[in-house]
Amino acid sequence: MIRIAYGISYLNQLRKWYVVGKLNKLVRQTASPQFSFIDVGCGEGQYMFPLAAQFPRSTITGIDKSSGNIEFANEYIRQRPFPNVTVTQAVFEEMTPLLEGDIVMCIGVLHFVDDDKAGICALAAMVKPGGSLLLEVPVNGKTLLPIYRWALSRYGNYDTINERKRNYLPDEVLALVSESGLDVKSVTYAYGTLGKLGHEIYNTSLVILLNGNVIERIISGIIINLLYPLTLILYAVDYCFSHKEGNSMIIVAEKGMSI
């Protein structure tokens, strides 16, 4: 069931297509099955557990401030088992001492951090010399569909529930990374026009399905199933083309050996 949930989550979130590809490339570049990996804001472990299963000689660490996520991860570690995985409940930018990894990943977290400068500095400090940071941050926040904006304003969403602190422009994120002392090696944008459209079609129905009255839930449940193939087509087409801008920014940055 957990694997099915991971698969559904992968299909429903376009950014994960990009993140998994970038992560796999970084793992190949380590040239060692004994690499260390830190997932900051690990959530339900959708990235770290598949990686741990594929590379049992690696050292995998998850950090998350949610006790529920940590409890879930620890239970999965015990049942699977995953001897190469440990998880820690912490506000990562306040951790002392910081952990270190060959690959440090932080996906969809920075915009929730109270002090983002402290957050990016903590991430940079976790990267071993010669290692890499894989960072994903929502940017721009452009929307296309009025009904999507209506659904968010009426019911809220993940960002409002978790008290999103800021909306970034791409240059602001790049400045934070550069000031941390890391060298930006690549920048990729997800959710171009078609990706945004697919995201808004799916999530409009999902928000109403989870929060609406009985009639609204029935209607949105029908719509989400009817239009789901369209969402996947829009995602796939969007993924096949590079974008000069988008609503998601994926950065790969490296730490020099001299740092």
Side-chain angles (χ1 to χ4, degrees), residues 6 16 24 29 38-39 52 85 93 97 132 137 153 156-157 166 174 209 234 238 244 248 252 257:
Y6 286 167
K16 293 179 182 177
N24 289 339
Q29 290 175 351
I38 302 174
D39 188 351
V85 180
E93 64 272 25
S132 299
V137 182
S153 64
N157 61 359
R166 61 192 65 84
L174 289 173
L209 179 64
L234 291 170
D238 194 78
K244 294 183 178 180
S248 174
V252 175
M257 293 297 296

Side-chain angles (χ1 to χ4, degrees), residues 190-205:
Y191 295 101
T193 300
L194 295 181
K196 286 196 288 281
L197 183 59
H199 173 81
E200 292 179 19
I201 289 172
Y202 177 80
N203 280 279
T204 298
S205 299

Side-chain angles (χ1 to χ4, degrees), residues 32-251:
S32 171
Q34 296 178 318
F35 64 90
S36 54
F37 171 77
I38 302 174
D39 188 351
V40 180
C42 61
E44 70 279 16
Q46 60 190 298
Y47 298 110
M48 66 178 184
F49 285 126
L51 197 66
Q54 187 177 1
F55 298 96
R57 294 173 63 190
S58 63
T59 302
I60 310 292
T61 304
I63 301 171
D64 203 286
K65 68 178 183 179
S66 167
S67 60
N69 288 338
I70 297 301
E71 289 172 6
F72 170 83
N74 276 323
E75 183 62 25
Y76 193 28
I77 289 168
R78 285 191 292 268
Q79 291 193 18
R80 177 68 165 81
F82 282 106
N84 59 332
V85 180
T86 58
V87 292
T88 300
Q89 183 181 358
V91 177
F92 76 92
E93 64 272 25
E94 299 175 359
M95 288 181 65
T96 305
L98 289 170
L99 304 170
E100 284 191 322
D102 297 303
I103 302 171
V104 177
M105 185 172 78
C106 183
I107 307 301
V109 172
L110 195 61
H111 54 303
F112 294 116
V113 174
D114 290 326
D115 186 343
D116 57 346
K117 290 185 179 181
I120 201 71
C121 287
L123 292 173
M126 291 183 194
V127 181
K128 290 182 179 180
S132 299
L133 170 67
L134 175 56
L135 177 70
E136 188 278 335
V137 182
V139 294
N140 295 320
K142 297 179 180 178
T143 58
L144 301 173
L145 302 178
I147 191 171
Y148 177 65
R149 293 191 289 270
W150 169 84
L152 294 186
S153 64
R154 180 173 180 179
Y155 297 113
N157 61 359
Y158 181 86
D159 284 354
T160 55
I161 292 171
N162 290 277
E163 300 180 351
R164 179 173 181 160
K165 302 298 187 298
R166 61 192 65 84
N167 296 307
Y168 286 109
L169 294 175
D171 287 346
E172 294 172 329
V173 180
L174 289 173
L176 282 172
V177 176
S178 296
E179 290 169 5
S180 74
L182 299 178
D183 296 322
V184 175
K185 294 302 181 181
S186 71
V187 177
T188 305
Y189 292 98
Y191 295 101
T193 300
L194 295 181
K196 286 196 288 281
L197 183 59
H199 173 81
E200 292 179 19
I201 289 172
Y202 177 80
N203 280 279
T204 298
S205 299
L206 182 63
V207 168
I208 298 173
L209 179 64
L210 295 176
N211 300 284
N213 59 42
V214 174
I215 300 300
E216 289 174 336
R217 291 184 179 185
I218 292 173
I219 295 173
S220 61
I222 293 171
I223 292 174
I224 201 170
N225 284 286
L226 289 176
L227 295 184
Y228 186 68
L230 175 61
T231 295
L232 289 181
I233 292 171
L234 291 170
Y235 279 178
V237 175
D238 194 78
Y239 182 73
C240 289
F241 295 93
S242 60
H243 308 288
K244 294 183 178 180
E245 66 173 12
N247 277 4
S248 174
M249 188 179 193
I250 300 105
I251 296 173

